[in-house]
């Protein structure tokens, strides 16, 4: 069974595309299990970056010369790749930003400032990353709006009945993580969006951990905004995407002001470009956007459904193996989850476990994962968090489990 899947997906061949994976740390083969934090890059992404700077580095949109036109074409082609990858209706619904954090702040500072008033309610879930809490808290402080939080079960699943109770005609925004980075839970976004829309609320999705693991279609999710980061989906850091429905992007004010987002400027008055340019002030991360396009080509070639299927099996295997280690408490056991394998040992701190794993060449994150409310819900300050990507193998899971057993025995 395992062999069959490995053959189908051919992870050994896939790993050849990732130069960084082939190195030793403390004399041991590197095992990269910190994918929720950031992912490694295939050679095609690295080559795309190098090629840009070696062959056609130029600013975009303003140039009449050959390299400028080439850079602009590649930048806009990347936007179209993103559009198709997430099933958006039009490329003008795709705004390049620095990452998920910037995308969510953009929504809070534009849509939020225009529409949120004192007494309005913003609903979040317990599973949010700080980047989908703090921008809303800042907005609430500015406007007098109120934050409401959807609780989760002991498995880390959204309590839909409680969510239904929180929704009302006062709800203006529902901001949800697609996939929890602390626990791996996949939220039922389509259903939750439909429920929010019944009250006329707008739905903002933090897709940082959704896009790397699931086939995402924003039109069938029907969310109003969807934000994600290039570096978590095998692309460069410094680039990310905010998707917004066309009519909303046209309606809301711009965020940052500057070059590229204007039609005309006088000292008396400025008129703005249409989306997406309206939201892309200044010189963008051109090379990074183009290389994000290369990451999307890479993922599309592997097939998001194949990736999800392989990771699902690997996650089931890893969860079952970890559960057998004496004294290990798994945190986040949702039925629908990706390969985020949070756990604690009652008597060894997560940081200590992380450091001991590092000495064996195994990279994991240890701490609160920028999701302190999630940790508080489970009565811990942090966890050890191995997190999987499609280039991880069953053998790597076996090594992790073996080292954890040794750590447990000698502490
Ligand atoms: N949301 C989630 C669920 C995340 O995992 C992360 C990154 N850990 C972010 C948001 C923030 O992403 P970035 O730092 O790339 O803006």
């Amino acid at each position: 069974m395992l062999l069959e899947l490995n053959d189908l997906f051919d992870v050994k061949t896939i790993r050849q595309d990732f130069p960084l994976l082939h190195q030793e740390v403390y004399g041991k083969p590197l095992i990269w299990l910190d994918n929720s934090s950031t992912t490694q890059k295939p050679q095609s992404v690295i080559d795309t970056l190098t090629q840009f700077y070696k062959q056609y580095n130029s600013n975009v949109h303003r140039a009449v010369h050959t390299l400028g036109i080439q850079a602009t074409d590649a930048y806009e082609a990347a936007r179209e790749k993103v559009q198709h990858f997430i099933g958006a209706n039009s490329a003008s619904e795709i705004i390049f930003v620095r990452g998920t954090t910037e995308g969510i702040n953009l929504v809070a500072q534009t849509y939020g400032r225009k529409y949120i008033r004192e007494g309005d309610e913003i609903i979040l879930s317990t599973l949010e990353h700080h980047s989908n809490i703090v921008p809303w808290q800042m907005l609430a402080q500015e406007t007098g709006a109120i934050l409401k939080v959807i609780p989760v079960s002991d498995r880390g699943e959204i309590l839909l009945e409680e969510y239904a109770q929180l929704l009302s005609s006062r709800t203006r925004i529902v901001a949800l993580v697609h996939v929890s980075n602390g626990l791996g839970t996949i939220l039922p976004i389509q259903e939750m969006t439909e429920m929010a829309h019944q009250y006329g609320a707008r739905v903002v999705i933090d897709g940082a951990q959704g896009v790397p693991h699931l086939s995402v279609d924003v039109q069938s999710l029907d969310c109003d905004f969807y934000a994600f980061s290039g570096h978590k989906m095998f692309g460069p850091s410094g680039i990310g995407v905010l998707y917004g429905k066309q009519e909303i992007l046209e309606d809301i004010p711009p965020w940052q002001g500057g070059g590229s987002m204007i039609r005309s400027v006088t000292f008396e008055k400025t008129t703005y470009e249409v989306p997406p340019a309206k939201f892309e002030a200044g010189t963008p991360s051109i090379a990074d956007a183009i290389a994000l396009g290369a990451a999307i080509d890479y993922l599309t070639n592997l097939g998001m459904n194949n990736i999800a299927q392989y990771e699902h099996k690997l996650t089931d295997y890893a969860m079952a193996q970890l559960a057998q280690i004496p004294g290990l408490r798994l945190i986040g056991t949702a039925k629908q989850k990706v390969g985020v394998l949070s756990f604690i040992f009652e008597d060894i701190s997560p940081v200590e476990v992380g450091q001991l794993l590092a000495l064996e060449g195994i990279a994991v994150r240890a701490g609160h994962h920028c999701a302190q409310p999630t940790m508080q819900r489970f009565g811990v300050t942090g966890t050890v968090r191995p997190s999987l990507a499609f280039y991880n193998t069953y053998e790597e899971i076996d090594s992790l489990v073996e080292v954890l057993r040794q750590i447990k025995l000698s502490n």
Side-chain angles (χ1 to χ4, degrees):
M1 173 69 176
L2 299 187
L3 259 182
E4 228 175 73
L5 256 165
N6 269 330
D7 283 352
L8 200 70
F9 198 63
D10 198 5
V11 178
K12 287 217 168 67
T13 306
I14 288 170
R15 287 176 68 85
Q16 295 307 316
D17 297 333
F18 291 81
L20 183 140
L21 295 178
H22 308 283
Q23 61 176 294
E24 294 194 340
V25 176
Y26 295 115
K28 308 274 167 53
L30 169 70
I31 298 183
W32 184 259
L33 294 175
D34 197 13
N35 294 291
S36 293
S37 184
T38 203
T39 52
Q40 302 308 339
K41 320 305 171 198
Q43 189 64 49
S44 60
V45 167
I46 299 167
D47 288 346
T48 302
L49 285 170
T50 316
Q51 208 185 10
F52 176 80
Y53 288 114
K54 271 174 120 172
Q55 294 174 9
Y56 63 105
N57 171 47
S58 176
N59 212 328
V60 287
H61 295 145
R62 287 176 287 267
V64 289
H65 51 73
T66 307
L67 300 194
I69 292 165
Q70 209 178 334
T72 304
D73 286 351
Y75 182 72
E76 291 306 324
R79 197 190 303 281
E80 281 171 25
K81 287 177 188 179
V82 174
Q83 175 206 340
H84 297 303
F85 189 61
I86 62 167
N89 191 35
S90 145
S92 56
E93 296 178 316
I94 306 300
I95 303 164
F96 282 125
V97 289
R98 259 194 319 131
T100 312
T101 305
E102 191 171 85
I104 296 168
N105 276 276
L106 192 160
V107 181
Q109 294 298 314
T110 56
Y111 185 89
R113 278 197 174 152
K114 178 161 182 181
Y115 285 110
I116 302 305
R117 300 280 171 269
E118 190 173 352
D120 286 348
E121 293 181 359
I122 300 169
I123 298 183
L124 314 174
S125 86
T126 305
L127 302 180
E128 300 312 313
H129 187 278
H130 297 166
S131 66
N132 205 23
I133 300 174
V134 184
W136 304 116
Q137 220 161 35
M138 290 162 78
L139 179 69
Q141 275 159 12
E142 276 173 37
T143 58
I146 298 156
L147 298 189
K148 300 262 168 169
V149 182
I150 315 165
V152 294
S153 72
D154 290 343
R155 302 177 77 109
E157 289 164 337
I158 292 289
L159 296 171
L160 281 173
E161 282 169 21
E162 308 265 352
Y163 170 52
Q165 295 295 315
L166 291 177
L167 284 165
S168 76
S169 57
R170 288 187 301 277
T171 312
R172 292 281 172 275
I173 292 175
V174 176
L176 301 169
V177 74
H178 192 169
V179 173
S180 151
N181 70 310
L183 310 183
T185 311
I186 303 171
L187 275 67
I189 293 301
Q190 196 169 3
E191 188 179 351
M192 293 178 81
T193 300
E194 204 180 319
M195 289 165 76
H197 282 167
Q198 280 166 16
Y199 292 88
R202 294 295 187 190
V203 178
V204 184
I205 304 299
D206 165 354
Q209 305 292 344
V211 167
H213 302 291
L214 308 170
S215 174
V216 171
D217 185 296
V218 287
Q219 287 191 74
S220 51
L221 292 177
D222 198 29
C223 54
D224 299 291
F225 296 98
Y226 192 101
F228 56 97
S229 304
H231 71 98
K232 291 183 196 283
M233 52 182 295
F234 316 95
S237 51
I239 189 75
V241 170
L242 174 69
Y243 156 83
K245 281 183 182 161
Q246 183 80 29
E247 67 273 17
I248 306 177
L249 294 182
E250 279 167 12
D251 172 54
I252 59 180
W255 182 30
Q256 296 177 329
S260 301
M261 50 79 75
I262 55 88
R263 276 223 170 115
S264 72
V265 179
T266 66
F267 281 111
E268 288 71 39
K269 184 175 160 49
T270 293
T271 56
Y272 303 120
E273 267 293 355
V274 292
K278 176 176 156 186
F279 299 99
E280 292 184 4
T283 300
S285 265
I286 306 165
D288 300 317
I290 298 169
L292 174 61
I296 287 175
D297 287 342
Y298 187 86
L299 290 171
T300 307
N301 195 33
L302 287 183
M304 286 312 296
N305 287 332
N306 297 334
I307 289 173
Q309 212 184 342
Y310 173 72
E311 288 184 10
H312 184 71
K313 297 282 176 196
L314 192 62
T315 303
D316 279 356
Y317 179 75
M319 290 289 282
Q321 296 300 307
L322 289 171
Q324 284 171 26
I325 300 176
L328 183 147
R329 176 184 157 208
L330 282 167
I331 297 186
T333 50
K335 288 196 189 89
Q336 301 291 327
K337 69 173 282 175
V338 305
V340 174
L341 314 167
S342 260
F343 69 86
I344 54 161
F345 282 130
E346 297 296 350
D347 44 1
I348 324 171
S349 82
V351 170
E352 204 180 329
V353 176
Q355 285 164 344
L356 291 167
L357 286 170
L359 293 175
E360 300 297 322
I362 303 177
V364 301
R365 181 112 185 246
H368 57 61
H369 322 299
C370 299
Q372 284 182 347
T374 310
M375 299 294 119
Q376 281 153 15
R377 162 62 181 83
F378 289 87
V380 295
T381 52
T383 65
V384 186
R385 187 195 63 180
S387 53
L388 309 178
F390 58 76
Y391 44 57
N392 290 123
T393 64
Y394 288 86
E395 292 76 15
E396 288 180 324
I397 302 297
D398 291 343
S399 302
L400 169 73
V401 169
E402 177 55 31
V403 175
L404 287 173
R405 281 184 188 278
Q406 284 164 16
I407 291 174
K408 183 66 187 142
L409 278 178
S410 50
N411 273 273

